[in-house]
Amino acid sequence: MTLVGADRVEDDVELREVSKRFGPVLAVDRVSLQVRRGEFFSLLGPSGCGKTTTLRIIGGLEYPTAGEVVLRGQVVTDVPPYRRATNMVFQHLALFPHLAVFENIAFGLRLRGLPSDVIARKVDDVLQLVDLPGFGTREIHQLSGGQKQRVAIARALVNEPAVLLLDEPLGALDLKLRLQMQAELKALQHRVGTTFLYVTHDQGEALTMSDRIAVMNQGRIEQVGTSQEIYARPQTRFVAAFIGEANFLEGRIAASAPDGVLVSVDGLQVRVAGDGSLPVGAPVTVSIRPEHVKLGAAAAGAANRWDGRVQDMTFMGAVVRATVALASGIAVVAEIQNDAAVGLAPGDAVVAGWAPQHTVVLAR
Amino acid sequence: MARADVLPLPQRRAIWRVMARRYAHLPLLAPAVAVSVAVFWACMAVLVVMSVYPFLAAGTPRFTLDAWQRFLVDPFYWGVVGTTLRIGVVVTALSLLIGYPTAYAMSKIRRPGWALACYVVLFAPILVSVVVRTYGWLLLLSQTGAVNYVLRTLGLIGQPIPLIFNTTGIIIAMVHILLPFAVFPILSVVGQLTSDLKEAAMDLGANRWQTFRRVTLPLTLPGVVAAAQIVFTLTISAFVTPFLMGGGKVQILSGLIYRDMEAVNLAFASTVALILLALAMAILAASNVLVRRSYSRAEVLRT
Ligand SMILES: Nc1ncnc2c1ncn2[C@@H]1O[C@H](COP(=O)(O)OP(=O)(O)OP(=O)(O)O)[C@@H](O)[C@H]1O
Ligand SMILES: [Mg+2]
């Protein structure tokens, strides 16, 4: 439901129970979401989870099997792509090889019948914006990968769409260029203020760039939230595992403790922060991020603290990743700073612990 | 290379190996070169000589431009050139108009069985002799033929319309015979066109027609030009079909060549053959230039 009011930012995009079936494959499964005006919103999920399909439904290139697409308060489910206020940056860019950069970018403007001096000015402005001044006369095959990327973004952005749809636009670039383009894209979005709907399977990319993220899995949305919310408070095991890394301990709710709940995991009583909404005896998964597992003296004050033995250590640069087997046979992975790992070796006895507020309880 | 002989032996050997590898493919060209040079260019030479030495066969050769002069000053022969070119242009245009949608539709067929069926229907007629197919058209298009019968039965015409022994008949039969030659070059280009460029155009605001006009057509233009060139040259140089369908009432250049050869007027036949060849080459060259100019003009507009 879209509420337009003083206390509510208007939604640019809304999906209502949208599904898309390709024969036996349910690519998009009753997806509902709202993207607010001016937001950098990411659709994050593994390959084949339906991100591209969802984006194409919003752009009108795919017709949903069920559900409604709303753009700026208007139902556009039956509106063809060429009459929608959306523009897409395609996964494989789809720049027109027979046109130079200028004409690629001017494509949409020409179709709108704008006078040529206005077109020239707009194209020049957007080339400036994507940091490609004077590239108008270049042929597409004369551009580098990163430059093609910018042209594709410019070609979409110059039409001033209500929403810019970006389908893994940085997927084909090498790591260094990708990081640079991420920063540029975020800055660009900030400058133009256009709503960006960004599809990626790279969690790092989504976390650094997005105002909000929708995590998708098998056609469904698992969770929508800010980067911090998604990372610190995952609501499903899939989200916890897909975003960053996590130790998962399977157990049952044993009792309500003063500051949360007590979960019994293979004989261990793990204190976790929880709201007590789950009944005693309910099967749950406890998730702890490796960087929250402390070893040795650092674990001293932790409410969850057990003796264990270092099984394995991996040097990762700034951090060291240690696998610790607790007495009960459970293994947890700890990510600790390099200097805290000095003097620790596989086979050593060590205390491992973590604070209850760093744990998340997920119903099973 | 002048210093190669002063190089040490191993290096000289290495150079030879590199050369051998670089030019290893040249022998593969030999058959084509033999056919092209020996046959084609030798024939050309013979034609040129025969057109200016009319009595070469008879004995005393004597240089004369009589045959050329006769052709170039007589408006009748210019009329024949005009008819030939007109038939060529109309057949080419119709073949493209029918061939482009055909190729486009064929490229969209996903079921291998259907695609194969289409290929067979379209290309199998090539296997049947042109004479046989032309006689087929004569039967269909004659005053008492199936086409006139259907048109009259439907009440579309009162009198049977003459569809053979005129340019109409030639054009109908030629379009049918040359259609595969129009479809194939277009098909090979249209088949490579991926849907993402069309989707990009639609996303940027182009409706179906604008997408065709601004993306699909320009990107498939090389195939269209190739098809046009093939169909046009085959049409203006065709003999059997125009001869039979025209029934001796339509004069075209290839008919002139045949007539003068039968009359052992070899000088004039050679002249007409060379003029036909020159026309074909001029029009091929002109179309190439036009295509290139249209691309570079687009470029100028862009800058
Ligand atoms: N045109 C189609 N016909 C049949 N199945 C399709 C079609 N398009 C997508 N699918 C299927 O729908 C599912 C979702 O595809 P989609 O392209 O949306 O995934 P994605 O999340 O974008 O993946 P990736 O990250 O690999 O691009 C996949 O299982 C895919 O095989
Ligand atoms: Mg995709």
Side-chain angles (χ1 to χ4, degrees), chain A residues 22 25 27 45-54 62 91 167-168 201:
Chain A
F22 293 111
V25 182
S47 182
C49 73
K51 308 179 296 287
T52 296
T53 308
T54 307
E62 213 81 70
Q91 196 161 5
D167 191 0
E168 311 210 21
H201 65 262

Side-chain angles (χ1 to χ4, degrees), chain A residues 196-211:
Chain A
F196 276 36
L197 184 42
Y198 190 92
V199 159
T200 179
H201 65 262
D202 182 334
Q203 41 123 348
E205 197 166 286
L207 288 177
T208 52
M209 299 173 81
S210 318
D211 296 321

Side-chain angles (χ1 to χ4, degrees), chain A residues 246-270:
Chain A
N247 293 292
F248 292 114
L249 308 176
E250 315 242 304
R252 284 173 185 283
I253 304 267
S256 266
D259 53 346
V261 286
L262 212 54
V263 180
S264 105
V265 180
D266 288 346
L268 295 182
Q269 299 288 310
V270 183

Side-chain angles (χ1 to χ4, degrees), chain A residues 56 59 61 81-82 84 86-88 90 92-100 102-104 107-108 110-111 137 139 155-156 159, chain B residues 193-208 210-211 213-219 295 298-299 301-303:
Chain A
R56 287 168 57 85
L61 297 172
Y82 48 87
R84 287 196 192 189
T86 56
N87 282 116
M88 175 107 89
F90 288 80
H92 302 292
L93 304 186
L95 295 172
F96 303 121
H98 60 299
L99 301 176
F102 184 96
E103 281 304 317
N104 260 280
F107 196 91
R110 288 217 189 284
L111 288 166
T137 56
E139 295 295 326
R155 183 179 72 173
N159 302 293
Chain B
L193 204 66
T194 51
S195 62
D196 58 345
L197 291 179
K198 279 184 272 179
E199 288 186 344
M202 296 234 283
D203 182 70
L204 291 166
N207 60 30
R208 279 175 197 289
Q210 289 164 327
T211 302
R213 175 67 197 75
R214 286 166 184 262
V215 176
T216 311
L217 187 59
L219 287 175
Y295 273 113
E299 226 134 42
L301 277 180
R302 266 178 243 142
T303 51

